[in-house]
Amino acid sequence: PEPFEGPMVDQMPEFPGGEAELVEYLRSNIHYPREAINRDLSGRVILRFVVDATGSISKIETIHKIGGGCEEEAVRVVGKMPKWKPGKMGGKAVPVYFYLPVTYTLQ
């Protein structure tokens, strides 16, 4: 079945442990690409992916790019995520599109 867009479902998919754990997972696993550092790039990459009815992630795509290898790194890390709690519609687990902003900030 075609994945649902977020506003259409009763319950959005959730990263294990919730949003705070998702932020921590990204912070711990994303490495700022050397090319982005050398080019002084910062900004926000936006990914869209499907969390299927089993909580697995698939169909990862980049909606907004900043270059320098940042989107490839974000896709790599999202592809290694643990299973999520699936989204639900009418009490039943369904595939849902999830949009995830990943912010790169040079210190």
Side-chain angles (χ1 to χ4, degrees):
E2 183 63 24
F4 287 92
E5 285 290 346
M8 297 170 63
V9 296
D10 301 330
Q11 185 181 334
M12 281 296 288
E14 187 178 296
F15 186 82
E19 197 170 326
E21 286 298 317
L22 172 57
V23 169
E24 179 56 31
Y25 173 86
L26 293 172
R27 197 181 65 69
S28 300
N29 290 282
I30 288 194
H31 303 292
Y32 218 116
R34 174 72 41 213
E35 182 186 344
I37 293 169
N38 293 343
R39 291 172 50 197
D40 199 26
L41 289 175
S42 58
R44 180 178 287 162
V45 170
I46 300 175
L47 300 180
R48 179 174 95 152
F49 52 88
V50 173
V51 178
D52 73 16
T54 68
S56 295
I57 289 175
S58 65
K59 299 182 183 169
I60 305 167
E61 55 186 328
T62 309
I63 301 298
H64 184 264
K65 302 177 181 195
I66 58 174
C70 292
E71 34 289 323
E72 292 83 357
E73 176 62 4
V75 167
R76 179 190 73 81
V77 170
V78 166
K80 291 178 21 182
M81 282 182 170
K83 284 194 173 199
W84 287 44
K85 201 158 102 182
K88 292 193 175 170
M89 185 72 173
K92 192 171 138 232
V94 293
V96 179
Y97 282 114
F98 194 90
Y99 291 80
L100 180 69
V102 178
T103 303
Y104 287 88
T105 309
L106 283 171
Q107 300 300 329

